[in-house]
Amino acid sequence: MVIPTVRLVGTMVLAVAVVAAGQLLPGSSILYSETAQLIAGLAAAVFCLRAARERTGVARYWRQLAAGGLVVWALTRLWCVVQVVGGSGGSTPRIIAAVGFLVLPACMLFGLLSATHTRPRPVPTSPRRDQVGLVIDSVLITGSVLALAWTVYPGDQLEDVVDTVWLAYPIFDLVLLTMAGLLLTTRPDSPAGRRPLLVIAAALVAFGTADTLRLLGTGPDWLETAGHLLGPALIALAALCPARPAPALPDSALLSRDWLHLLVPYGPVLVTGVVLAARTIGGEPLTPFQAYLGWLGLALVVTRQMLTIIDNNVLLDRVAETQRRLHHQAYHDPLTGLANRALFREHLILAVEAHERHGTPVAVIFADLDDFKLINDTFGHAVGDRVLSAVGERMRSCVRSTDLVARLGGDEFAVVFDHGMLQPPPQRRVRGRLRRIGGRRYVLSAAGVRVSETVDWPPDPSLPEPAPPTALAEGEWSAEAEAVGQRVLAALRKPYVIDGRSVGVGVSIGLVAAEPGDELTADVLLRRADAAMYAVKRHGKNALIRYTGPRDSLPNADLPQLLAGALADGGSPAAAGFEVFYQPIVRLADCATVAVEALARWTDPVAGRVHPDVFVTMAERTGLVAAIDDFVLDQACADAAALAARFGRPIDLHVNVSAGRLGQQDLENAVKAALSRHDLPPARLVIEITETLRIPDLPRAADVVGRLRALGVRVALDDFGSGFNALAQLHSIPVDIVKLDSTLTDFGNSPDRSGALCRSVLAICAELDITVVAEGLETPDRSGALADLGCPLGQGYLFGPPAALADL
């Protein structure tokens, strides 16, 4: 609500009417004047208190201060009335008047200072220094104005009032008025928000006029009385003004106001200095009062400059701290505090440059938590976040302080090692040496995958302490980098205790090490480590694979790039070296071939023959696996007639499809197109779901499988018992065939246990009318054992390795 201008005009008219009535009434004009001011002060205090109860914060604080000052001011007027009635003629003791009349200006001072909290400077600064600076600026301007007044006003009259106690009141009023003017001119606010301060400034003008007339002893008494009546009334009007939020001014307007805040105090000082200098040069010496004011102004200017320097230093520190914080936020993960992908890439580029210039070895670890979504779904995202933080801490504890651990996003972490030597972390001494334990470790290369044992960590404390580490020779670099990777793997395998609950999570780690002489890029290293990590996923997870790419005359041959080029849109996979091999699926009762599985093979012109685990993993990671699936599907359907001629009868075709494609319309369209293009009966096609990745949407996948079966195409669940393929898929997805993984058909270590598992699966599949194919049959004993258990079909090297159509 906007205060009507009529209310302000009415207040002034009322004050004039009261003064005029005092002039017309007979009797003591002093008694009437003091009584009217007493009533005005008490009434204004009541209005301020009522307005304060409806507000909070600074708005309540300054209104309460104003009410307190008005009460003391009114009580002082009451003392004056008592003195007049008692016959003292209004001669109030100076100590009572000095204290009583100075309380209201003091309260107004603190009230104006509190306005700095609601009207801060555009440039952030300390509130306390801001208030001190406001006081100094106000006193500095007031001193300059007094010095000018002393110069232009008759000196004899001013010398008469210098020693008068009443001199403090107009000076105090002028300081407060200056302070209100500075707040109005240098602090942003809305028109409605400025109105209370404008009314307060008008009240200070009224008080200042009355106090100046009383000091000089000139002018009519009614004008002095009117000033002392208008002052409290205007303060009450200011208290009744509604609060308004500060407007959102543009940055340019805020900056201009801050420059005004710096320049305004020195304008009067400059004018006063010029005037005094001119008069001094003209032969008029400075009076002691002017000299005192000059020294006071100099001290205030120096103090003000010191405050400005402090503010500038604080501002520069804040800018530097903000830059550091923004830099940290730009290059670090907010959850774990680890480096993010941007910082990791920069660090890896520097390490690769050092490797190219000085032959410094460099290695990269790429780690992905296994089935981390299950932790979020089971325990909640808060627990998942704490697990991620704990993973980051454990990874940092396994490497040196010079190595960089980063969270690349989600549940993916990476480490870059450089500086030519990998040693155990320096922050703690560990007794013992590495020992072998059971388990598997995979080393991935373009030629194949070899399996060896893993390493246990931490080492056995009963073993002797190892010798101090020495600099690594070129041949030892890869082994040492792999040892650090195994240390990270062992640390991350341990359960995490979160709020008293043990949370376990596996991790798949890919490692790539560049030794002196390798010419690689940061992107190549990261992609190879990524591909190695996904190969771990295909081989059962929770292990480490080291990527060892070809090091020959073509060191820049990068398999991910070559794969992307071979499967590019519009290109022919066959022209890029892709072909289809077939492996027989036989009936165990008579070893007759009843079907073949179509398998992709790739011989790149640059990298040579690439192992299927390598390029399939890369294709799944880069989203190119659909191109491989469609190529194998189309080629197998095209070879159906030739296969029937070779085996003397039509046989079924098993084609692998990535589980990630289930639920996508393009799979169903590709199957229909291949069947139609090559005129193949749907009953002869079997789509094998190779679930190296989790099926994203089981209900939708089941719907796609149902539509494929409606076409007459059968569906098989590949590698049952490994990866994600388990009983839940048998329940959710209507399949026709289950292919037992080789880990279930291996009876070598514990034949009784393996036999019990196979009998259970065979019984379940028999109840569901699902045909079972045993994979990985390499010996007659294993084949005979599966046949004795009732398994109808088998596949493995015992019956023939994958081979081209011409070699079957």
Side-chain angles (χ1 to χ4, degrees):
M1 167 176 99
V2 178
I3 295 181
T5 308
V6 174
R7 183 180 299 180
L8 184 59
V9 175
T11 301
M12 299 178 65
V13 171
L14 179 60
V16 173
V18 172
V19 173
Q23 295 295 323
L24 296 175
L25 290 177
S28 175
S29 60
I30 296 179
L31 177 61
Y32 179 86
S33 175
E34 297 294 345
T35 303
Q37 294 173 41
L38 167 63
I39 296 173
L42 291 176
V46 170
F47 281 114
C48 289
L49 288 175
R50 290 184 59 183
R53 286 187 301 179
E54 301 174 358
R55 290 162 175 81
T56 59
V58 174
R60 168 179 287 185
Y61 174 71
W62 79 259
R63 285 171 171 85
Q64 290 175 342
L65 282 176
L70 287 169
V71 168
V72 176
W73 187 82
L75 291 178
T76 305
R77 293 299 177 187
L78 178 60
W79 178 262
C80 295
V81 171
V82 172
Q83 293 296 310
V84 172
V85 174
S88 300
S91 177
T92 308
R94 286 195 172 190
I95 185 62
I96 297 178
V99 173
F101 290 133
L102 285 178
V103 169
L104 178 57
C107 291
M108 298 304 297
L109 171 65
F110 288 108
L112 290 173
L113 290 177
S114 67
T116 58
H117 295 285
T118 58
R119 309 162 72 93
R121 285 178 53 192
V123 178
T125 184
S126 167
R128 189 67 60 191
R129 286 198 302 273
D130 191 17
Q131 292 174 346
V132 173
L134 181 60
V135 172
I136 291 177
D137 291 344
S138 302
V139 174
L140 190 60
I141 295 174
T142 301
S144 301
V145 172
L146 289 177
L148 284 176
W150 192 276
T151 303
V152 300
Y153 204 79
D156 295 339
Q157 296 187 22
L158 288 178
E159 291 176 358
D160 294 336
V161 301
V162 166
D163 296 330
T164 304
V165 70
W166 305 114
L167 179 62
Y169 303 119
I171 293 179
F172 219 142
D173 295 334
L174 184 57
V175 171
L176 295 177
L177 181 60
T178 305
M179 189 177 298
L182 289 175
L183 290 173
L184 287 169
T185 56
T186 62
R187 309 299 173 107
D189 206 343
S190 63
R194 293 161 56 89
R195 185 170 289 109
L197 197 54
L198 285 170
V199 179
I200 289 292
L204 293 172
V205 171
F207 276 119
T209 302
D211 292 336
T212 303
L213 293 176
R214 180 172 55 186
L215 173 66
L216 299 177
T218 60
D221 294 337
W222 65 268
L223 186 57
E224 178 183 344
T225 303
H228 286 148
L229 289 175
L230 282 174
L234 291 173
I235 292 177
L237 285 179
L240 295 175
C241 291
R244 286 291 184 272
L249 297 180
D251 294 340
S252 57
L254 294 178
L255 211 50
S256 64
R257 287 177 179 270
D258 199 60
W259 277 107
L260 191 62
H261 164 268
L262 296 175
L263 296 178
V264 164
Y266 301 107
V269 174
L270 181 61
V271 173
T272 303
V274 171
V275 173
L276 293 179
R279 294 178 65 89
T280 303
I281 294 174
E284 296 184 15
L286 297 177
T287 64
F289 183 70
Q290 290 174 330
Y292 293 150
L293 289 178
W295 285 110
L296 175 62
L298 179 61
L300 291 176
V301 169
V302 172
T303 305
R304 188 67 182 89
Q305 287 301 310
M306 291 177 62
L307 290 177
T308 302
I309 292 173
I310 294 175
D311 284 340
N312 290 339
N313 290 335
V314 171
L315 183 60
L316 291 175
D317 291 341
R318 289 183 178 178
V319 170
E321 178 61 28
T322 301
Q323 290 177 341
R324 286 192 295 268
R325 184 170 61 253
L326 292 176
H327 183 273
H328 187 273
Q329 292 175 354
Y331 286 98
H332 289 80
D333 175 58
L335 176 62
T336 62
L338 300 175
N340 60 10
R341 184 180 292 271
L343 182 58
F344 177 83
R345 177 177 173 79
E346 290 186 6
H347 195 89
L348 183 58
I349 290 175
L350 293 177
V352 171
E353 290 179 353
H355 166 77
E356 293 177 349
R357 294 177 181 177
H358 311 294
T360 304
V362 60
V364 174
I365 279 180
F366 193 100
D368 183 87
L369 303 183
D370 298 328
D371 304 326
F372 184 73
K373 184 177 183 298
L374 295 178
I375 294 180
N376 285 332
D377 295 342
T378 304
F379 301 102
H381 288 275
V383 173
D385 290 344
R386 295 175 65 179
V387 171
L388 291 175
S389 300
V391 168
E393 293 176 359
R394 291 189 183 183
M395 293 186 70
R396 276 188 291 209
S397 68
C398 293
V399 300
R400 304 169 304 171
S401 59
T402 55
D403 301 323
L404 184 70
V405 182
R407 181 187 177 207
L408 302 185
D411 56 356
E412 296 180 345
F413 296 82
V415 183
V416 56
F417 308 98
D418 59 358
H419 301 293
M421 180 182 295
L422 284 176
Q423 302 170 358
Q427 62 268 26
R428 60 178 183 180
R429 297 185 60 191
V430 182
R431 296 181 57 86
R433 56 185 173 84
L434 301 180
R435 59 185 177 87
R436 301 286 181 176
I437 63 172
R440 294 179 299 172
R441 174 171 57 80
Y442 298 92
V443 178
L444 176 67
S445 67
V449 178
R450 63 181 176 87
V451 181
S452 63
E453 295 182 4
T454 57
V455 183
D456 188 24
W457 191 272
D460 190 349
S462 63
L463 298 176
E465 186 174 1
T470 57
L472 300 177
E474 289 188 13
E476 299 173 343
W477 165 249
S478 297
E480 186 66 18
E482 191 170 340
V484 176
Q486 292 291 346
R487 184 163 67 242
V488 173
L489 176 63
L492 298 185
R493 279 175 171 174
K494 297 178 181 179
Y496 302 85
V497 180
I498 307 295
D499 294 334
R501 293 177 295 185
S502 179
V503 180
V505 58
V507 60
S508 300
I509 298 180
L511 168 67
V512 58
E515 297 188 18
D518 291 341
E519 296 182 9
L520 300 171
T521 64
D523 290 336
V524 169
L525 283 176
L526 187 58
R527 282 199 297 269
R528 290 184 176 180
D530 190 20
M533 182 273 296
Y534 269 88
V536 180
K537 301 284 189 183
R538 293 181 58 85
H539 288 84
K541 307 178 183 179
N542 205 22
L544 181 144
I545 285 182
R546 178 169 61 87
Y547 183 98
T548 54
R551 299 184 177 92
D552 49 19
S553 58
L554 295 170
N556 291 322
D558 179 49
L559 295 181
Q561 291 182 345
L562 295 175
L563 180 65
L567 300 176
D569 293 339
S572 172
F578 277 93
E579 54 186 333
V580 177
F581 279 25
Y582 299 95
Q583 187 175 26
I585 298 175
V586 303
R587 190 167 49 236
L588 294 181
D590 55 3
C591 295
T593 300
V594 297
V596 292
E597 181 179 0
L599 301 169
R601 293 295 184 265
W602 182 33
T603 303
D604 185 78
V606 177
R609 183 173 294 277
V610 183
H611 194 276
D613 287 324
V614 177
F615 69 78
V616 170
T617 299
M618 293 179 182
E620 288 178 335
R621 177 61 173 165
T622 57
L624 298 172
V625 70
I628 298 178
D629 291 346
D630 293 345
F631 166 74
V632 174
L633 174 63
D634 187 76
Q635 188 63 45
C637 292
D639 291 341
L643 288 168
R646 181 167 295 274
F647 287 99
R649 62 188 182 280
I651 60 174
D652 297 336
L653 298 173
H654 288 234
V655 177
N656 292 298
V657 171
S658 174
R661 297 186 66 192
L662 290 180
Q664 299 178 4
Q665 184 65 34
D666 64 335
L667 173 61
E668 187 177 354
N669 295 337
V671 171
K672 291 180 180 179
L675 293 175
S676 175
R677 185 182 304 112
H678 303 289
D679 196 21
L680 181 70
R684 291 180 55 189
L685 180 63
V686 179
I687 298 296
E688 291 190 7
I689 302 174
T690 305
E691 197 178 2
T692 54
L693 300 176
R694 181 179 296 276
I695 296 177
D697 189 345
L698 278 177
R700 188 172 182 181
D703 184 60
V704 172
V705 170
R707 291 199 299 271
L708 289 175
R709 297 181 70 201
L711 295 175
V713 177
R714 286 173 292 170
V715 178
L717 200 59
D718 195 14
D719 297 330
F720 184 82
S722 69
F724 296 101
N725 283 332
L727 293 176
Q729 277 68 18
L730 286 181
H731 174 71
S732 302
I733 301 177
V735 297
D736 303 283
I737 300 173
V738 163
K739 302 185 73 175
L740 295 181
D741 187 70
S742 59
T743 56
L744 293 180
T745 61
D746 186 2
F747 292 174
N749 295 328
S750 54
D752 294 338
R753 186 178 183 86
S754 299
L757 288 174
C758 287
R759 278 193 299 270
S760 300
V761 174
L762 288 170
I764 293 173
C765 291
E767 290 290 332
L768 298 176
D769 195 21
I770 296 175
T771 304
V772 178
V773 179
E775 294 182 310
L777 302 184
E778 300 179 357
T779 64
D781 293 339
R782 185 183 299 184
S783 174
L786 267 298
D788 293 341
L789 292 176
C791 183
L793 303 177
Q795 178 183 356
Y797 276 71
L798 175 64
F799 309 109
L805 177 61
D807 298 331
L808 284 175

